[in-house]
Each structure stands twice: as structure tokens, then as C-alpha cells.
Amino acid sequence: MSLPTPELHTARLRVRPFADDDAAPLYALHSDPQVLRYWDSPPWTEPARAQRFLATCRRIEEEGTGARLAVERDSDGAFVGWCGLIEWNPDFRSAVLCYVFDREVWGRGYATETVRGLLRWGFETLDLNRVRADVDTRNGASARVLEKLGFVREGTLREDCVVDGDVSDSWVYGLLRREWRPVEGAGGGAVSQLP
């Protein structure tokens, strides 16, 4: 069962399906060691990785297991990152949240605005009951984004990642449908979805 990838609009951002011409900015994002310092894989060193990522995006949409979306700024169309709901399980009504943003936009509320829009789509369109997110315990900024959106820290996965020999722990966060509070107008909370 295919999962149609949505196009969402927030106050400042357009969240849309990936296109082939996103390969160059996607590679730039994932080859930045500062952006990937808490990611579960090392920075990319070959541009072909971006093409493989885009192929995986199409595959998970076709399989109906999730959606990964490009995030661009409305004001100038600049690619600023991506987000996704993956490992979608319609029987359990659950999915896993992921996102990555260019360091040039850190601290501007884009992650919060984007994830708020994505959660609305997940809870209202996919009828999710639970969204999970895993965060490296050293990544306080990402933990704050999740907590601002109502996620609850549920536990710690000890030494669950080893990237380039660096062992790290992860916090597991969860947000249940009954706990989710969409906020209209605050930080770009209003979201419209194109058919």
C-alpha cells in the first residue's frame, strides 16, 4: 500500500516531497560534520549517497512504511533540511520521527515549526496514536524541540550507537495522540495541506 507523501505549509516553510534536484543540497547537509555530529551514521563523503537516499525515500513511500520530506523556506525557496515519519505501522498506529536541519538555520524555530506540521499530518491523516523519536543524549537542542512539542522522555538506550568508534547513548521520546496539543499560530503552528 503506497503512502502519498504530503505537501504541507507552515507560516514560514514548505514541507514537500523530495525532488531529484534536491540531491546537491541534501549532500551538502549530510556531509557537514557539525550537522551530523549526533547522527547515527558518519557524514557522507560521496555525492552518490544523496541519490541513494532519494531512492530510499521513493521506496518507503511505495511500500507504505513512511514519508521523508524536504523542508524549504517560503521566502526564498532555500532547502533548509528534511523531516520524516518512518516505520509507519497502521496496525499499531505508530511511526518514528526524524529530522535534520542545516546549521545556518539552527535556533530559529524551524525544527519546531516543521515537526508541529508533520505531527498534525501524522495524527490527523495517518490516524497515529504514538510517535517515537530517538535523540543522542548529548543533543540538548533536539531534546528541547521534542519537549516543547509535548514529547515525554521515556527511557535511555545505553550505548545503542557506535559511529566512527564513538559510542553514545540515546534517549527515547514518545508522544501519544491524547497528549498532542496542536498550537495554532504559535511558532508557525497553523498548517495547510495540499491535496
Side-chain angles (χ1 to χ4, degrees):
M1 171 179 74
S2 178
L3 176 65
T5 304
E7 180 170 313
L8 310 171
H9 290 269
T10 68
R12 301 175 294 170
L13 304 167
R14 178 178 171 225
V15 183
R16 59 165 176 77
F18 274 104
D20 289 339
D21 59 0
D22 291 319
L26 184 63
Y27 176 72
L29 178 72
H30 275 266
S31 62
D32 184 334
Q34 196 169 355
V35 170
L36 272 288
R37 71 183 168 206
Y38 302 127
W39 200 248
D40 60 0
S41 62
W44 295 351
T45 57
E46 54 185 60
R49 288 289 305 270
Q51 293 298 335
R52 292 198 299 270
F53 180 94
L54 294 173
T56 300
C57 293
R58 289 187 287 275
R59 181 180 51 76
I60 66 173
E61 180 183 349
E62 290 166 5
E63 292 173 350
T65 59
R68 289 181 180 161
L69 303 147
V71 180
E72 66 183 26
R73 199 168 32 219
D74 264 342
S75 62
D76 60 4
F79 178 94
V80 296
W82 67 270
C83 64
L85 286 173
I86 59 172
E87 298 179 29
W88 179 47
N89 185 323
D91 294 328
F92 294 163
R93 296 172 47 216
S94 64
V96 175
L97 171 69
C98 49
Y99 53 87
V100 181
F101 283 87
D102 189 292
R103 63 184 152 115
E104 299 301 318
V105 301
W106 289 353
R108 297 184 188 175
Y110 286 180
T112 303
E113 184 174 330
T114 300
V115 172
R116 185 175 284 126
L118 189 62
L119 289 172
R120 169 165 282 174
W121 176 69
F123 286 121
E124 293 180 358
T125 302
L126 300 182
D127 192 32
L128 293 177
N129 183 60
R130 175 182 166 78
V131 177
R132 189 187 93 220
D134 298 343
V135 178
D136 188 298
T137 58
R138 300 167 295 176
N139 192 347
S142 191
R144 283 189 298 278
V145 166
L146 295 174
E147 290 166 3
K148 197 181 317 180
L149 291 165
F151 280 80
V152 174
R153 189 184 312 167
E154 300 175 335
T156 303
L157 299 174
R158 299 179 309 140
E159 299 185 10
D160 71 319
C161 288
V162 181
V163 179
D164 285 341
D166 188 21
V167 180
S168 63
D169 300 338
S170 294
W171 286 320
V172 177
Y173 279 87
L175 178 64
L176 303 179
R177 179 185 196 88
R178 69 175 184 267
E179 299 166 337
W180 175 61
R181 302 286 181 260
V183 179
E184 297 295 335
V191 177
S192 62
Q193 179 178 343
L194 297 180

